[in-house]
Amino acid sequence: MIVYLMQKAIDRYRIDVNCNGKGLVKELGTEIIEQERGDSLLEWGAKLFYFDRRKCLEVANFASKFTLFLVDIKVDDLPNIGYLISSYMFDIFKDDHDTTALLARLFDESPIFVFSKLQDKRCINHLNHTLWHFADDGYILHDYIEDGILHTRELNKSFNTGMLVTKVIDGEKQFLYPAELLKSLLKQRYQDDSNSCK
């Protein structure tokens, strides 16, 4: 999968998005970008924001606008960004066996996360709008602190199951919940395979 970072995140995390490593790692990163670019279910945009002076990332899926807030992300945490994203996704759908099975398949098929520069204007607009209007520029995280513990699972579930986003489908603007849209897109992606097995 590809995580496209806004320039501020590239600068603060000192990521060389043109390199993605050296030698075989660079070749693999380049190959993944070439293969997966344009498959919006495998593409994520990321925006840096701060909470309590800690670097955080807002990441959003291009296809579904499924959005996660990753808190206190240090440079050394970046190689684990795929694990963080998948963990929150599985948690949000933990009571939906069919969707978690489809998510497992998606991550099995695209297990490696690489970085590139974000240029998709729709995703940039979504990240900016969501951080400002839903997350109050990060201040909403205070509402999810209880007994000194920040409950990011509840925060991420709250957005993806409770906030409507707009999506143009068949030329018509629709309002959908990101979790429901992601679920629908996963079913569409694997529908032909599941039908052929019956």
Side-chain angles (χ1 to χ4, degrees), residues 10 24-26 29 40 60 79 83 90 99 158 162 183:
I10 292 170
L24 290 175
V25 173
K26 180 178 179 178
S40 58
Y83 172 77
F90 280 109
T99 302
S158 175
K183 181 177 176 177

Side-chain angles (χ1 to χ4, degrees), residues 29-47:
T30 302
E31 186 177 321
I32 289 170
I33 289 172
E34 287 175 2
Q35 288 178 353
E36 298 185 353
R37 179 181 284 135
D39 186 342
S40 58
L41 204 53
L42 304 179
E43 296 179 297
W44 297 79
K47 177 182 175 75

Side-chain angles (χ1 to χ4, degrees), residues 28-79:
L28 179 62
T30 302
E31 186 177 321
I32 289 170
I33 289 172
E34 287 175 2
Q35 288 178 353
E36 298 185 353
R37 179 181 284 135
D39 186 342
S40 58
L41 204 53
L42 304 179
E43 296 179 297
W44 297 79
K47 177 182 175 75
L48 176 74
F49 71 98
Y50 288 90
F51 175 70
D52 195 23
R53 292 177 290 167
R54 297 173 190 207
K55 288 193 286 284
C56 305
L57 285 173
E58 173 196 15
V59 294
N61 181 258
F62 277 23
S64 64
K65 297 188 178 180
F66 192 92
T67 303
L68 298 168
F69 299 91
L70 310 178
V71 178
D72 195 18
I73 303 300
K74 300 175 179 67
V75 172
D76 291 342
D77 297 324
L78 288 180

